[in-house]
Amino acid sequence: MPEPNENPLATEAPGDLPGSAPTAPLEPAVALPARPSFPAWSAWDVLAVLVFTMVAVFVFSLAALFIARTVPAYRHIPATDLATNARVVIGTQVAAYPLVLLFIFVLVRSRTHERFGKAIHWNWPGISAPGFFAMGIILAVVIDGLSRFLPIPKSLPMDKYFHDAASAYLMAAFGMTLAPLLEELFFRGLLYPLLRRAFGLTIAVVLTAAAFAGIHGTQLGYAWAPILSIFVVGVVLTAARARTGSVAASFLMHCGYNFALFALLWLASDHYRHLEKVAN
């Protein structure tokens, strides 16, 4: 006979009581599919994007130079000069970058079944979007002010792209749209999550910013002062990406930063009419 406080059913299933029919064993719970780890892509995938970008830009550069040779105005211009012509350069990148963006889209979607924006943590900031754009403008003004205390070279390789007002407007349009989109998707979208998983937050921010500055090295003649400025910008953009969990936030800041730089140049050169002024 059980003790007064003992439940006689505690050790027996209801179907196993005396006189009852034995019950079938309980079915195991259906396991839910495991959520894919973030990021779903690997370092090899990031390298594949980088190689694809280099090949695409190279192929379209050759095509752009060939097409330029068929234009009477460019027929007798040396190839080295055409390679720094804004119309040729921007035409090349406008043709190549959409293919690179498509490659990134297909790669990310092949590694996860989530929507692309969710998989890469695009996360549009909503009503805060103008604020991030404004922060990019403030960042540009601050960096421009601080760079005046650094030994910035009088002339940089990227100055060759600003031949005239039309070239400057082309560079501005490209620099405020397609260029920051691709750079943010690559550096803050693909590269940063891998580095954070491998090395932690601080090192990931520093390495992402260093890679971001390094990719601009050719344009800046590998001069340490302007590269340092770009590195600081990369730190701020990556920190914003880490703090908000949004690649769209760093993209908006990047657009605002580039907008401010081109606006300052527009003001300093009399609406791009006297670009020689900024070279002094």
Side-chain angles (χ1 to χ4, degrees):
M1 182 175 181
E3 294 294 330
N5 295 330
E6 182 181 350
N7 183 355
L9 305 181
T11 58
E12 295 179 317
D16 294 332
L17 296 177
S20 65
T23 58
L26 295 175
E27 293 292 333
V30 178
L32 296 175
R35 183 181 177 85
S37 61
F38 178 77
W41 50 89
S42 68
W44 290 110
D45 294 327
V46 174
L47 180 62
V49 172
L50 183 60
V51 172
F52 183 88
T53 302
M54 295 172 63
V55 172
V57 170
F58 176 75
V59 170
F60 279 101
S61 293
L62 293 179
L65 289 173
F66 177 79
I67 294 172
R69 284 298 188 187
T70 66
V71 178
Y74 296 148
R75 190 166 297 165
H76 302 293
I77 297 177
T80 53
D81 292 339
L82 283 176
T84 58
N85 184 288
R87 295 172 178 82
V88 175
V89 173
I90 298 302
T92 294
Q93 297 183 354
V94 166
Y97 279 21
L99 286 181
V100 177
L101 291 172
L102 178 61
F103 184 82
I104 292 174
F105 176 84
V106 172
L107 186 146
V108 171
R109 291 285 287 139
S110 70
R111 299 295 183 265
T112 174
H113 297 295
E114 296 179 322
R115 291 180 293 107
F116 176 79
K118 184 178 181 181
I120 207 164
H121 289 194
W122 179 253
N123 300 337
W124 186 258
I127 60 174
S128 300
F132 286 104
F133 188 85
M135 284 190 284
I137 295 176
I138 295 171
L139 175 63
V141 174
V142 171
I143 293 296
D144 182 70
L146 293 177
S147 66
R148 298 180 186 277
F149 298 97
L150 296 175
I152 304 294
K154 294 289 185 180
S155 178
L156 294 170
M158 67 179 299
D159 295 339
K160 297 178 181 178
Y161 299 119
F162 295 86
H163 295 283
D164 48 36
S167 298
Y169 280 112
L170 278 174
M171 293 292 293
F174 178 73
M176 291 187 289
T177 54
L178 197 54
L181 176 61
L182 181 58
E183 290 178 2
E184 290 307 309
L185 286 177
F186 180 78
F187 289 104
R188 258 64 67 174
L190 295 177
L191 180 61
Y192 163 73
L194 280 176
L195 294 176
R196 177 162 185 174
R197 186 172 66 185
F199 303 109
L201 174 61
T202 302
I203 295 178
V205 169
V206 172
L207 291 180
T208 303
F212 178 71
I215 207 71
H216 293 87
T218 303
Q219 300 173 0
L220 302 174
Y222 296 101
W224 72 267
I227 287 181
L228 176 62
S229 297
I230 296 296
F231 172 77
V232 173
V233 172
V235 168
V236 175
L237 293 178
T238 311
R241 157 68 180 87
R243 179 69 179 83
T244 62
S246 168
V247 177
S250 62
F251 164 71
L252 288 167
M253 287 185 67
H254 197 157
C255 290
Y257 175 85
N258 286 359
F259 168 80
L261 291 185
F262 285 109
L264 291 172
L265 178 62
W266 186 78
L267 292 173
S269 61
D270 294 334
H271 308 172
Y272 298 147
R273 290 192 296 254
H274 299 287
L275 292 164
E276 70 280 358
K277 288 185 176 182
V278 299
N280 297 327

